[in-house]
Amino acid sequence: MLKEKLLLGQYYPADSPVHRLTASCKILVTIIYMVALFVADDWLGWGLLAAVGLAAVLISKVPFKAIWRGMKIIVIFCVLTFLLNLFMYPGDHVLLTLGRFRLTAEGLTYGLAMALRLFMLVVFASLLTLTTTPIQLTDGLETLLKPASRIGVPAHEIAMMMSIALRFIPTILEEFDRIVLAQRARGADLKQGNIAQRVKNFVPLLVPLFVAAFRRADDLSQAMEAKCYRGGAGRTRWKVVKWQSRDTVCLALFLLLLAGAILERVL
Amino acid sequence: MIEVKDLHYSYSKQEAPVLNGLDLRIEPGQWLAVVGRNGSGKSTLARCLNGLFLPESGSVLVDGMDTAEESMLYPIRERVAFVFQNPDNQLVATSVEDDIAFGLENLGIPREEITDRVEQALSVMRLADKRDKPPHLLSGGEKQRVAIAGAIAMASTYLVLDEPTAMLDPLMRLEVIDSLTRLHREQGLTIIYVTNIMEEVLLADRVVLLDQGRVAKDCTPAELFSDPAYLIEQGLDVPQISYLAGRLADAGYESLRGALAVDELADRLCRI
């Protein structure tokens, strides 16, 4: 259970236009949306962006419940942000005075706006991970970083490291389960005592886990060498996700949105 | 042909050398079993064959290419594929087909050809229905078959296997052995099979017994098993039938010496 969850991250499998978009397009769009959220400075902009975000969620067929699951902690942050801005933001139109605190109209607007921005930002970012598998994300990242490899960013190596990590998460979790059982069979008590003791109890689990992981890494590097691996240069990428016209359309729409937000702010 | 000439190798200066003047010629199309007690240099020899380890002195030539020459390393590894003991630690990619494609990607083979070759390897190894599975959802035997499929896809002529079934249960072991026998028979793949399991030695045309980093015996499995006392002295198991045949032969029934299978022994017994 835990294994599957870690492997897929929060991926929600469904067949929707959002799922079908190329990962690199979705990463770009997410960045553009975040920038637009902070460029926009009035309710027209924020409202429009919130509507766009909501539309994206609806199109993605990801149920609100799935999104809400990842949002619980963020909502606390949103409320805190709102309250902080509500009482701290300087303003003249006092609505209410509570002892030393003054509640102003400006504070109310700004607090709401900040909370909304934060909320939409996290909704949109989690939509990215809900509609894209980690391995697609890795691929998308490699595609996006590729131009940077000319100035020395090891794009292929970063992507390879991420995908190997994804490949070995379940294997190492299995190993961890085995070590826990082995130590319990030797009478180790992992659940007793205060926090300091419990942390100490973890040492006999982590040491063998790390030793085994290093051995694995050693074996794997031999296996990769035996299969002629020598980094990204001269290497074919077998499965390249092709950039489709729908990706271009989607990216163009969001660029327009950003341009609109910038124009509105400047004018 | 793989030619090993006067090969010396040691892991560090302080330790005794693992390989100590080893000579060996492996003809294409052979199934060669390599046996010997722990520390006799089996795995080290295997890793010298594709240049994972480089000779201290002496040489390893693969179809005339010297592993000591750096520019030859990749052509050599393309020809000499390797399957390791631990099924968990040799699959790199997150799905079966991606792992089979890994070696081909490294060689820079065009995309369409990779698709064809992966398809073929999947069907030869009967893994087509597992193509999208991540490695951790495969059985040990399936993982080893994926590793073998990766070797076939690279169109290697030699396949070196370092105790590929040591970590598998008997059923999975059969599964792996079956596919190897098929590949050897149908595609003429040269197999260099390091093992500690004497039943698996019977599959080979030729067996090499290593002792202290040298070839101590180079013969057919039948000849090797005809001398149970020598095998025991070398710290190896003796298959039960060979043991029985050997004991009977020592007791005077010389015609039974070297029988490897139950049927064969029964046959020969009937003719006495």
Side-chain angles (χ1 to χ4, degrees):
Chain A
M1 225 13 237
L2 177 68
K3 245 185 314 190
E4 294 314 306
K5 237 189 128 203
L6 268 173
L7 193 67
L8 282 175
Q10 0 170 30
Y11 182 66
Y12 182 88
D15 185 30
S16 82
V18 181
H19 284 78
R20 281 196 292 273
L21 283 174
T22 310
S24 44
C25 168
K26 281 189 265 189
I27 297 173
L28 284 177
V29 161
T30 306
I31 296 169
I32 293 172
Y33 185 83
M34 288 177 175
V35 174
L37 268 178
F38 281 91
V39 171
D41 66 347
D42 64 6
W43 281 106
L44 176 69
W46 297 326
L48 194 64
L49 284 164
V52 167
L54 189 70
V57 171
L58 288 174
I59 294 169
S60 75
K61 293 188 190 160
V62 176
F64 287 113
K65 229 169 85 185
I67 295 177
W68 177 244
R69 217 178 294 144
M71 296 291 300
K72 282 173 194 157
I73 299 172
I74 302 304
V75 167
I76 300 175
F77 272 101
C78 289
V79 171
L80 274 177
T81 310
F82 171 67
L83 289 176
L84 222 64
N85 278 297
L86 186 61
F87 291 110
M88 308 303 243
Y89 197 76
D92 305 324
H93 302 83
V94 181
L95 300 177
L96 195 70
T97 312
L98 285 172
R100 289 180 47 214
F101 296 106
R102 291 187 315 149
L103 202 160
T104 63
E106 288 88 346
L108 186 66
T109 317
Y110 194 75
L112 270 177
M114 274 314 279
L116 181 77
R117 277 168 163 177
L118 194 61
F119 186 78
M120 287 317 294
L121 189 139
V122 179
V123 166
F124 212 80
S126 49
L127 196 62
L128 173 69
T129 53
L130 279 161
T131 59
T132 323
T133 61
I135 201 73
Q136 287 170 337
L137 276 178
T138 307
D139 266 4
L141 207 67
E142 183 175 1
T143 310
L144 290 178
L145 283 176
K146 211 170 189 181
S149 60
R150 260 185 241 136
I151 55 162
V153 178
H156 162 78
E157 282 73 13
I158 292 173
M160 179 58 82
M161 272 161 54
M162 282 172 65
S163 94
I164 288 179
L166 286 170
R167 144 83 182 86
F168 276 95
I169 285 170
T171 310
I172 286 176
L173 277 177
E174 253 166 41
E175 180 123 63
F176 184 71
D177 285 346
R178 231 178 1 248
I179 294 170
V180 168
L181 286 178
Q183 300 294 26
R184 285 203 355 225
R186 290 180 177 83
D189 192 355
L190 302 171
K191 290 195 174 142
Q192 294 290 307
N194 57 30
I195 289 184
Q197 269 165 335
R198 280 199 207 183
V199 169
K200 231 171 94 188
N201 288 343
F202 253 75
V203 174
L205 299 182
L206 289 182
V207 171
L209 191 70
F210 272 93
V211 171
F214 277 113
R215 192 167 302 143
R216 258 181 220 292
D218 204 31
D219 279 6
L220 189 72
S221 68
Q222 274 198 11
M224 289 171 75
E225 261 188 69
K227 283 191 170 176
C228 303
Y229 181 72
R230 57 200 125 160
R235 192 170 188 273
T236 321
R237 268 177 82 194
W238 180 36
K239 282 188 189 156
V240 178
V241 191
K242 277 227 176 73
W243 183 273
Q244 309 279 345
S245 46
R246 56 168 171 257
D247 296 314
T248 315
V249 172
C250 176
L251 189 63
L253 282 176
F254 276 85
L255 281 174
L256 259 170
L257 198 70
L258 179 62
I262 293 172
L263 270 178
E264 198 207 10
R265 185 169 188 142
V266 173
L267 295 178
Chain B
M1 184 169 54
I2 301 181
E3 285 176 274
V4 181
K5 285 182 206 150
D6 194 29
L7 177 61
H8 291 259
Y9 187 91
S10 47
Y11 285 96
S12 70
K13 289 268 178 293
Q14 291 81 30
E15 286 171 60
V18 188
L19 298 179
N20 220 340
L22 188 142
D23 287 291
L24 185 66
R25 279 163 74 99
I26 306 167
E27 307 285 342
Q30 262 185 356
W31 182 317
L32 171 72
V34 180
V35 299
R37 72 179 88 219
N38 287 341
S40 62
K42 299 181 305 259
S43 295
T44 314
L45 169 64
R47 282 166 173 74
C48 285
L49 296 180
N50 70 344
L52 277 178
F53 292 173
L54 296 177
E56 229 164 64
S57 68
S59 65
V60 177
L61 299 174
V62 176
D63 295 335
M65 297 180 284
D66 195 332
T67 57
E69 254 178 77
E70 223 183 305
S71 61
M72 288 291 129
L73 265 187
Y74 293 105
I76 286 173
R77 285 177 188 161
E78 196 178 337
R79 230 168 263 216
V80 185
F82 206 106
V83 174
F84 294 84
Q85 178 177 22
N86 191 328
D88 268 323
N89 297 356
Q90 56 183 319
L91 305 187
V92 183
T94 42
S95 78
V96 167
E97 56 176 7
D98 285 334
D99 195 79
I100 297 173
F102 179 74
L104 302 172
E105 292 181 300
N106 293 339
L107 295 175
I109 286 167
R111 222 168 273 153
E112 298 73 37
E113 197 183 332
I114 295 185
T115 311
D116 291 346
R117 290 218 214 164
V118 169
E119 212 53 54
Q120 209 196 339
L122 281 171
S123 90
V124 170
M125 293 311 287
R126 296 177 186 152
L127 286 163
D129 54 327
K130 303 268 184 322
R131 62 192 322 149
D132 294 321
K133 283 249 167 98
H136 73 278
L137 294 182
L138 300 174
S139 74
E142 284 165 347
K143 281 178 213 166
Q144 291 302 59
R145 273 161 59 210
V146 173
I148 297 170
I152 306 171
M154 284 174 86
S156 309
T157 14
Y158 305 93
L159 180 58
V160 182
L161 302 103
D162 185 12
E163 303 195 39
T165 60
M167 298 173 81
L168 305 182
D169 66 33
L171 224 63
M172 296 181 198
R173 180 174 291 166
L174 281 181
E175 192 183 294
V176 171
I177 293 286
D178 269 358
S179 35
L180 282 177
T181 339
R182 217 151 31 80
L183 282 174
H184 180 64
R185 210 177 44 226
E186 289 167 14
Q187 312 201 350
L189 190 69
T190 311
I191 292 177
I192 297 124
Y193 196 101
V194 176
T195 185
N196 252 330
I197 301 163
M198 291 305 125
E199 273 73 19
E200 293 179 350
V201 174
L202 296 176
L203 300 161
D205 316 316
R206 174 182 168 201
V207 53
V208 165
L209 190 150
L210 299 190
D211 187 28
Q212 294 171 13
R214 278 200 206 95
V215 175
K217 211 166 170 75
D218 183 349
C219 56
T220 63
E223 283 170 289
L224 182 71
F225 292 134
S226 66
D227 193 355
Y230 179 68
L231 285 179
I232 292 166
E233 183 195 314
Q234 285 293 331
L236 300 175
D237 284 336
V238 183
Q240 283 182 348
I241 291 300
S242 302
Y243 182 71
L244 181 60
R247 287 290 297 271
L248 287 168
D250 290 343
Y253 300 97
E254 198 53 45
S255 68
L256 301 177
R257 190 175 294 282
L260 297 174
V262 179
D263 295 347
E264 195 185 352
L265 183 62
D267 241 29
R268 292 195 197 177
L269 268 172
C270 291
R271 269 190 253 123
I272 290 173

mmCIF file of all heavy atoms in Angstrom, chain A residues 24-61:
data_model
loop_
_atom_site.group_PDB
_atom_site.id
_atom_site.type_symbol
_atom_site.label_atom_id
_atom_site.label_comp_id
_atom_site.label_asym_id
_atom_site.label_seq_id
_atom_site.Cartn_x
_atom_site.Cartn_y
_atom_site.Cartn_z
ATOM 1 N N SER A 24 6.166 18.376 -20.154
ATOM 2 C CA SER A 24 6.942 19.621 -20.201
ATOM 3 C C SER A 24 6.018 20.821 -20.384
ATOM 4 O O SER A 24 6.261 21.890 -19.815
ATOM 5 C CB SER A 24 7.982 19.560 -21.318
ATOM 6 O OG SER A 24 7.432 19.036 -22.492
ATOM 7 N N CYS A 25 4.945 20.640 -21.154
ATOM 8 C CA CYS A 25 3.975 21.724 -21.325
ATOM 9 C C CYS A 25 3.321 22.060 -19.989
ATOM 10 O O CYS A 25 3.198 23.223 -19.611
ATOM 11 C CB CYS A 25 2.917 21.307 -22.346
ATOM 12 S SG CYS A 25 1.485 22.385 -22.406
ATOM 13 N N LYS A 26 2.944 20.995 -19.249
ATOM 14 C CA LYS A 26 2.259 21.232 -17.975
ATOM 15 C C LYS A 26 3.173 21.931 -16.969
ATOM 16 O O LYS A 26 2.720 22.795 -16.211
ATOM 17 C CB LYS A 26 1.754 19.900 -17.412
ATOM 18 C CG LYS A 26 0.477 19.444 -18.082
ATOM 19 C CD LYS A 26 -0.143 18.262 -17.383
ATOM 20 C CE LYS A 26 0.294 16.981 -18.027
ATOM 21 N NZ LYS A 26 -0.443 15.805 -17.518
ATOM 22 N N ILE A 27 4.454 21.567 -16.979
ATOM 23 C CA ILE A 27 5.382 22.221 -16.056
ATOM 24 C C ILE A 27 5.479 23.711 -16.393
ATOM 25 O O ILE A 27 5.366 24.577 -15.511
ATOM 26 C CB ILE A 27 6.784 21.566 -16.121
ATOM 27 C CG1 ILE A 27 6.710 20.105 -15.673
ATOM 28 C CG2 ILE A 27 7.775 22.327 -15.244
ATOM 29 C CD1 ILE A 27 8.006 19.338 -15.867
ATOM 30 N N LEU A 28 5.630 24.009 -17.684
ATOM 31 C CA LEU A 28 5.727 25.412 -18.116
ATOM 32 C C LEU A 28 4.467 26.185 -17.735
ATOM 33 O O LEU A 28 4.541 27.286 -17.181
ATOM 34 C CB LEU A 28 5.930 25.484 -19.636
ATOM 35 C CG LEU A 28 7.324 25.148 -20.143
ATOM 36 C CD1 LEU A 28 7.347 25.198 -21.660
ATOM 37 C CD2 LEU A 28 8.336 26.147 -19.576
ATOM 38 N N VAL A 29 3.319 25.587 -18.027
ATOM 39 C CA VAL A 29 2.048 26.251 -17.752
ATOM 40 C C VAL A 29 1.890 26.525 -16.258
ATOM 41 O O VAL A 29 1.437 27.601 -15.853
ATOM 42 C CB VAL A 29 0.885 25.383 -18.298
ATOM 43 C CG1 VAL A 29 -0.426 25.762 -17.644
ATOM 44 C CG2 VAL A 29 0.799 25.522 -19.795
ATOM 45 N N THR A 30 2.318 25.568 -15.446
ATOM 46 C CA THR A 30 2.224 25.756 -13.997
ATOM 47 C C THR A 30 3.067 26.956 -13.558
ATOM 48 O O THR A 30 2.622 27.779 -12.739
ATOM 49 C CB THR A 30 2.682 24.481 -13.265
ATOM 50 O OG1 THR A 30 1.934 23.377 -13.770
ATOM 51 C CG2 THR A 30 2.459 24.604 -11.777
ATOM 52 N N ILE A 31 4.270 27.050 -14.120
ATOM 53 C CA ILE A 31 5.133 28.180 -13.755
ATOM 54 C C ILE A 31 4.488 29.503 -14.198
ATOM 55 O O ILE A 31 4.421 30.475 -13.428
ATOM 56 C CB ILE A 31 6.530 28.015 -14.390
ATOM 57 C CG1 ILE A 31 7.225 26.771 -13.821
ATOM 58 C CG2 ILE A 31 7.381 29.260 -14.129
ATOM 59 C CD1 ILE A 31 8.484 26.371 -14.564
ATOM 60 N N ILE A 32 3.973 29.503 -15.428
ATOM 61 C CA ILE A 32 3.339 30.726 -15.946
ATOM 62 C C ILE A 32 2.161 31.139 -15.073
ATOM 63 O O ILE A 32 1.997 32.306 -14.715
ATOM 64 C CB ILE A 32 2.861 30.505 -17.407
ATOM 65 C CG1 ILE A 32 4.068 30.315 -18.325
ATOM 66 C CG2 ILE A 32 1.993 31.670 -17.876
ATOM 67 C CD1 ILE A 32 3.693 29.905 -19.735
ATOM 68 N N TYR A 33 1.351 30.155 -14.698
ATOM 69 C CA TYR A 33 0.179 30.441 -13.864
ATOM 70 C C TYR A 33 0.602 31.051 -12.528
ATOM 71 O O TYR A 33 0.012 32.015 -12.052
ATOM 72 C CB TYR A 33 -0.599 29.146 -13.648
ATOM 73 C CG TYR A 33 -1.892 29.325 -12.896
ATOM 74 C CD1 TYR A 33 -3.051 29.728 -13.554
ATOM 75 C CD2 TYR A 33 -1.963 29.089 -11.525
ATOM 76 C CE1 TYR A 33 -4.250 29.891 -12.872
ATOM 77 C CE2 TYR A 33 -3.154 29.246 -10.832
ATOM 78 C CZ TYR A 33 -4.298 29.641 -11.506
ATOM 79 O OH TYR A 33 -5.477 29.805 -10.828
ATOM 80 N N MET A 34 1.656 30.497 -11.930
ATOM 81 C CA MET A 34 2.117 31.015 -10.641
ATOM 82 C C MET A 34 2.588 32.455 -10.776
ATOM 83 O O MET A 34 2.283 33.309 -9.933
ATOM 84 C CB MET A 34 3.274 30.151 -10.118
ATOM 85 C CG MET A 34 2.802 28.790 -9.647
ATOM 86 S SD MET A 34 4.206 27.798 -9.116
ATOM 87 C CE MET A 34 3.341 26.375 -8.490
ATOM 88 N N VAL A 35 3.344 32.721 -11.843
ATOM 89 C CA VAL A 35 3.824 34.091 -12.054
ATOM 90 C C VAL A 35 2.631 35.022 -12.232
ATOM 91 O O VAL A 35 2.544 36.093 -11.621
ATOM 92 C CB VAL A 35 4.763 34.156 -13.287
ATOM 93 C CG1 VAL A 35 5.138 35.596 -13.586
ATOM 94 C CG2 VAL A 35 5.998 33.318 -13.042
ATOM 95 N N ALA A 36 1.656 34.598 -13.056
ATOM 96 C CA ALA A 36 0.473 35.426 -13.324
ATOM 97 C C ALA A 36 -0.262 35.745 -12.033
ATOM 98 O O ALA A 36 -0.718 36.875 -11.820
ATOM 99 C CB ALA A 36 -0.448 34.706 -14.308
ATOM 100 N N LEU A 37 -0.341 34.756 -11.127
ATOM 101 C CA LEU A 37 -1.033 34.964 -9.861
ATOM 102 C C LEU A 37 -0.412 36.119 -9.083
ATOM 103 O O LEU A 37 -1.107 36.877 -8.397
ATOM 104 C CB LEU A 37 -0.956 33.701 -9.009
ATOM 105 C CG LEU A 37 -2.099 32.690 -9.123
ATOM 106 C CD1 LEU A 37 -1.815 31.505 -8.240
ATOM 107 C CD2 LEU A 37 -3.429 33.319 -8.731
ATOM 108 N N PHE A 38 0.912 36.235 -9.168
ATOM 109 C CA PHE A 38 1.561 37.279 -8.378
ATOM 110 C C PHE A 38 1.688 38.593 -9.138
ATOM 111 O O PHE A 38 1.916 39.629 -8.536
ATOM 112 C CB PHE A 38 2.903 36.783 -7.839
ATOM 113 C CG PHE A 38 2.674 35.913 -6.654
ATOM 114 C CD1 PHE A 38 2.511 34.544 -6.798
ATOM 115 C CD2 PHE A 38 2.522 36.475 -5.388
ATOM 116 C CE1 PHE A 38 2.240 33.741 -5.713
ATOM 117 C CE2 PHE A 38 2.246 35.680 -4.295
ATOM 118 C CZ PHE A 38 2.106 34.309 -4.453
ATOM 119 N N VAL A 39 1.526 38.531 -10.470
ATOM 120 C CA VAL A 39 1.535 39.768 -11.247
ATOM 121 C C VAL A 39 0.187 40.468 -11.113
ATOM 122 O O VAL A 39 0.119 41.683 -10.956
ATOM 123 C CB VAL A 39 1.865 39.477 -12.729
ATOM 124 C CG1 VAL A 39 1.647 40.715 -13.568
ATOM 125 C CG2 VAL A 39 3.297 38.976 -12.866
ATOM 126 N N ALA A 40 -0.888 39.695 -11.163
ATOM 127 C CA ALA A 40 -2.235 40.274 -11.096
ATOM 128 C C ALA A 40 -2.405 41.061 -9.793
ATOM 129 O O ALA A 40 -1.928 40.628 -8.753
ATOM 130 C CB ALA A 40 -3.274 39.171 -11.194
ATOM 131 N N ASP A 41 -3.054 42.218 -9.874
ATOM 132 C CA ASP A 41 -3.179 43.006 -8.648
ATOM 133 C C ASP A 41 -4.571 43.565 -8.390
ATOM 134 O O ASP A 41 -4.730 44.496 -7.617
ATOM 135 C CB ASP A 41 -2.128 44.124 -8.627
ATOM 136 C CG ASP A 41 -2.381 45.148 -9.725
ATOM 137 O OD1 ASP A 41 -3.201 44.838 -10.628
ATOM 138 O OD2 ASP A 41 -1.780 46.230 -9.684
ATOM 139 N N ASP A 42 -5.580 43.035 -9.064
ATOM 140 C CA ASP A 42 -6.933 43.424 -8.657
ATOM 141 C C ASP A 42 -7.890 42.245 -8.770
ATOM 142 O O ASP A 42 -7.519 41.178 -9.245
ATOM 143 C CB ASP A 42 -7.421 44.625 -9.478
ATOM 144 C CG ASP A 42 -7.556 44.271 -10.953
ATOM 145 O OD1 ASP A 42 -7.382 43.080 -11.285
ATOM 146 O OD2 ASP A 42 -7.796 45.175 -11.758
ATOM 147 N N TRP A 43 -9.108 42.463 -8.319
ATOM 148 C CA TRP A 43 -10.046 41.337 -8.230
ATOM 149 C C TRP A 43 -10.417 40.777 -9.584
ATOM 150 O O TRP A 43 -10.721 39.608 -9.712
ATOM 151 C CB TRP A 43 -11.294 41.730 -7.435
ATOM 152 C CG TRP A 43 -10.979 41.686 -5.980
ATOM 153 C CD1 TRP A 43 -10.786 42.735 -5.157
ATOM 154 C CD2 TRP A 43 -10.769 40.507 -5.199
ATOM 155 N NE1 TRP A 43 -10.465 42.310 -3.897
ATOM 156 C CE2 TRP A 43 -10.458 40.942 -3.903
ATOM 157 C CE3 TRP A 43 -10.806 39.148 -5.463
ATOM 158 C CZ2 TRP A 43 -10.191 40.054 -2.862
ATOM 159 C CZ3 TRP A 43 -10.554 38.262 -4.434
ATOM 160 C CH2 TRP A 43 -10.239 38.710 -3.152
ATOM 161 N N LEU A 44 -10.377 41.616 -10.623
ATOM 162 C CA LEU A 44 -10.679 41.118 -11.964
ATOM 163 C C LEU A 44 -9.655 40.038 -12.330
ATOM 164 O O LEU A 44 -10.005 38.930 -12.743
ATOM 165 C CB LEU A 44 -10.630 42.270 -12.981
ATOM 166 C CG LEU A 44 -10.850 41.826 -14.430
ATOM 167 C CD1 LEU A 44 -12.284 41.370 -14.649
ATOM 168 C CD2 LEU A 44 -10.474 42.936 -15.412
ATOM 169 N N GLY A 45 -8.382 40.376 -12.133
ATOM 170 C CA GLY A 45 -7.296 39.434 -12.449
ATOM 171 C C GLY A 45 -7.385 38.182 -11.612
ATOM 172 O O GLY A 45 -7.351 37.063 -12.125
ATOM 173 N N TRP A 46 -7.498 38.388 -10.301
ATOM 174 C CA TRP A 46 -7.538 37.218 -9.405
ATOM 175 C C TRP A 46 -8.735 36.331 -9.710
ATOM 176 O O TRP A 46 -8.633 35.105 -9.730
ATOM 177 C CB TRP A 46 -7.578 37.672 -7.942
ATOM 178 C CG TRP A 46 -6.358 38.424 -7.537
ATOM 179 C CD1 TRP A 46 -5.090 38.199 -7.980
ATOM 180 C CD2 TRP A 46 -6.281 39.521 -6.635
ATOM 181 N NE1 TRP A 46 -4.219 39.084 -7.403
ATOM 182 C CE2 TRP A 46 -4.927 39.914 -6.564
ATOM 183 C CE3 TRP A 46 -7.219 40.214 -5.866
ATOM 184 C CZ2 TRP A 46 -4.479 40.968 -5.763
ATOM 185 C CZ3 TRP A 46 -6.787 41.250 -5.064
ATOM 186 C CH2 TRP A 46 -5.429 41.628 -5.018
ATOM 187 N N GLY A 47 -9.871 36.960 -9.956
ATOM 188 C CA GLY A 47 -11.095 36.209 -10.246
ATOM 189 C C GLY A 47 -10.922 35.385 -11.504
ATOM 190 O O GLY A 47 -11.256 34.195 -11.556
ATOM 191 N N LEU A 48 -10.348 36.052 -12.538
ATOM 192 C CA LEU A 48 -10.146 35.377 -13.814
ATOM 193 C C LEU A 48 -9.229 34.160 -13.632
ATOM 194 O O LEU A 48 -9.498 33.062 -14.110
ATOM 195 C CB LEU A 48 -9.545 36.360 -14.819
ATOM 196 C CG LEU A 48 -9.576 35.909 -16.274
ATOM 197 C CD1 LEU A 48 -10.999 35.779 -16.762
ATOM 198 C CD2 LEU A 48 -8.788 36.872 -17.155
ATOM 199 N N LEU A 49 -8.128 34.390 -12.901
ATOM 200 C CA LEU A 49 -7.160 33.296 -12.685
ATOM 201 C C LEU A 49 -7.780 32.158 -11.884
ATOM 202 O O LEU A 49 -7.559 30.982 -12.183
ATOM 203 C CB LEU A 49 -5.915 33.831 -11.974
ATOM 204 C CG LEU A 49 -4.974 34.614 -12.887
ATOM 205 C CD1 LEU A 49 -3.987 35.423 -12.083
ATOM 206 C CD2 LEU A 49 -4.239 33.669 -13.827
ATOM 207 N N ALA A 50 -8.583 32.521 -10.879
ATOM 208 C CA ALA A 50 -9.248 31.477 -10.091
ATOM 209 C C ALA A 50 -10.197 30.694 -10.979
ATOM 210 O O ALA A 50 -10.274 29.455 -10.882
ATOM 211 C CB ALA A 50 -10.003 32.107 -8.920
ATOM 212 N N ALA A 51 -10.891 31.406 -11.883
ATOM 213 C CA ALA A 51 -11.817 30.721 -12.794
ATOM 214 C C ALA A 51 -11.052 29.771 -13.709
ATOM 215 O O ALA A 51 -11.488 28.635 -13.959
ATOM 216 C CB ALA A 51 -12.591 31.752 -13.622
ATOM 217 N N VAL A 52 -9.894 30.243 -14.202
ATOM 218 C CA VAL A 52 -9.075 29.392 -15.074
ATOM 219 C C VAL A 52 -8.634 28.132 -14.317
ATOM 220 O O VAL A 52 -8.707 27.014 -14.827
ATOM 221 C CB VAL A 52 -7.843 30.177 -15.597
ATOM 222 C CG1 VAL A 52 -6.833 29.225 -16.238
ATOM 223 C CG2 VAL A 52 -8.284 31.223 -16.600
ATOM 224 N N GLY A 53 -8.185 28.344 -13.072
ATOM 225 C CA GLY A 53 -7.755 27.203 -12.257
ATOM 226 C C GLY A 53 -8.890 26.214 -12.044
ATOM 227 O O GLY A 53 -8.713 25.000 -12.191
ATOM 228 N N LEU A 54 -10.060 26.743 -11.743
ATOM 229 C CA LEU A 54 -11.231 25.898 -11.512
ATOM 230 C C LEU A 54 -11.578 25.122 -12.786
ATOM 231 O O LEU A 54 -11.862 23.918 -12.745
ATOM 232 C CB LEU A 54 -12.408 26.760 -11.065
ATOM 233 C CG LEU A 54 -13.629 25.989 -10.572
ATOM 234 C CD1 LEU A 54 -13.328 25.321 -9.234
ATOM 235 C CD2 LEU A 54 -14.845 26.900 -10.456
ATOM 236 N N ALA A 55 -11.516 25.830 -13.916
ATOM 237 C CA ALA A 55 -11.817 25.183 -15.197
ATOM 238 C C ALA A 55 -10.829 24.035 -15.438
ATOM 239 O O ALA A 55 -11.228 22.940 -15.854
ATOM 240 C CB ALA A 55 -11.745 26.197 -16.332
ATOM 241 N N ALA A 56 -9.552 24.279 -15.149
ATOM 242 C CA ALA A 56 -8.530 23.240 -15.361
ATOM 243 C C ALA A 56 -8.850 22.009 -14.513
ATOM 244 O O ALA A 56 -8.740 20.877 -14.982
ATOM 245 C CB ALA A 56 -7.147 23.781 -15.019
ATOM 246 N N VAL A 57 -9.263 22.263 -13.263
ATOM 247 C CA VAL A 57 -9.600 21.136 -12.382
ATOM 248 C C VAL A 57 -10.776 20.356 -12.957
ATOM 249 O O VAL A 57 -10.762 19.121 -13.014
ATOM 250 C CB VAL A 57 -9.931 21.643 -10.960
ATOM 251 C CG1 VAL A 57 -10.490 20.503 -10.115
ATOM 252 C CG2 VAL A 57 -8.694 22.230 -10.307
ATOM 253 N N LEU A 58 -11.812 21.086 -13.434
ATOM 254 C CA LEU A 58 -12.990 20.414 -13.983
ATOM 255 C C LEU A 58 -12.630 19.597 -15.216
ATOM 256 O O LEU A 58 -13.060 18.456 -15.375
ATOM 257 C CB LEU A 58 -14.076 21.441 -14.324
ATOM 258 C CG LEU A 58 -14.775 22.062 -13.113
ATOM 259 C CD1 LEU A 58 -15.728 23.161 -13.531
ATOM 260 C CD2 LEU A 58 -15.513 20.983 -12.319
ATOM 261 N N ILE A 59 -11.814 20.198 -16.100
ATOM 262 C CA ILE A 59 -11.433 19.496 -17.330
ATOM 263 C C ILE A 59 -10.611 18.247 -17.009
ATOM 264 O O ILE A 59 -10.712 17.228 -17.688
ATOM 265 C CB ILE A 59 -10.634 20.442 -18.262
ATOM 266 C CG1 ILE A 59 -11.538 21.575 -18.743
ATOM 267 C CG2 ILE A 59 -10.082 19.681 -19.460
ATOM 268 C CD1 ILE A 59 -10.794 22.687 -19.443
ATOM 269 N N SER A 60 -9.814 18.326 -15.945
ATOM 270 C CA SER A 60 -8.894 17.208 -15.633
ATOM 271 C C SER A 60 -9.617 15.972 -15.114
ATOM 272 O O SER A 60 -9.021 14.910 -15.008
ATOM 273 C CB SER A 60 -7.876 17.660 -14.594
ATOM 274 O OG SER A 60 -8.508 17.719 -13.327
ATOM 275 N N LYS A 61 -10.903 16.106 -14.746
ATOM 276 C CA LYS A 61 -11.688 14.988 -14.199
ATOM 277 C C LYS A 61 -11.114 14.474 -12.870
ATOM 278 O O LYS A 61 -11.449 13.357 -12.451
ATOM 279 C CB LYS A 61 -11.771 13.822 -15.195
ATOM 280 C CG LYS A 61 -12.560 14.152 -16.438
ATOM 281 C CD LYS A 61 -12.749 12.893 -17.273
ATOM 282 C CE LYS A 61 -13.323 13.244 -18.632
ATOM 283 N NZ LYS A 61 -13.082 12.193 -19.614
#
